[in-house]
Amino acid sequence: MTRMRTLAGLGLMAIALTACGGRQPLKPVQGQNLPAVPVGAATAPTAADLMQPSIQARPERNVELLTQSRQRGNDEFDLPPEKAPK
């Protein structure tokens, strides 16, 4: 019975600790500034903007599966290498 109470107490403490996360907006450390305004942007990005991954960082998956193999067509740019002069 004592072991059950100990485990229950540890479980409640773990749940309580997970609820202690901060919910305030991010701010730069004192003495540091946010990054400079990117070229072409009207305003500097906010902390929330910087936390969102770009499309290049998380591209969409191509779900089109290759169902049949097929012969590769002619490639007019597939040329043999030139021989280097000796």
Side-chain angles (χ1 to χ4, degrees):
M1 195 60 133
T2 307
R3 184 176 180 127
M4 187 72 112
R5 284 185 183 173
T6 304
L7 289 175
L10 286 174
L12 288 174
M13 285 177 46
I15 291 172
L17 283 176
T18 59
C20 291
R23 301 284 181 203
Q24 299 172 355
L26 297 174
K27 297 177 186 175
V29 177
Q30 187 175 1
Q32 292 184 351
N33 297 326
L34 287 174
V37 179
V39 175
T43 60
T46 64
D49 294 337
L50 294 173
M51 294 294 292
Q52 296 295 325
S54 69
I55 292 175
Q56 290 180 338
R58 298 192 66 162
E60 292 184 15
R61 282 189 84 168
N62 183 0
V63 295
E64 181 181 338
L65 300 176
L66 182 63
T67 56
Q68 296 178 351
S69 59
R70 42 183 191 235
Q71 193 74 18
R72 183 180 282 191
N74 290 337
D75 184 4
E76 60 188 67
F77 297 104
D78 187 20
L79 303 174
E82 296 180 18
K83 291 186 178 180
K86 290 185 178 182

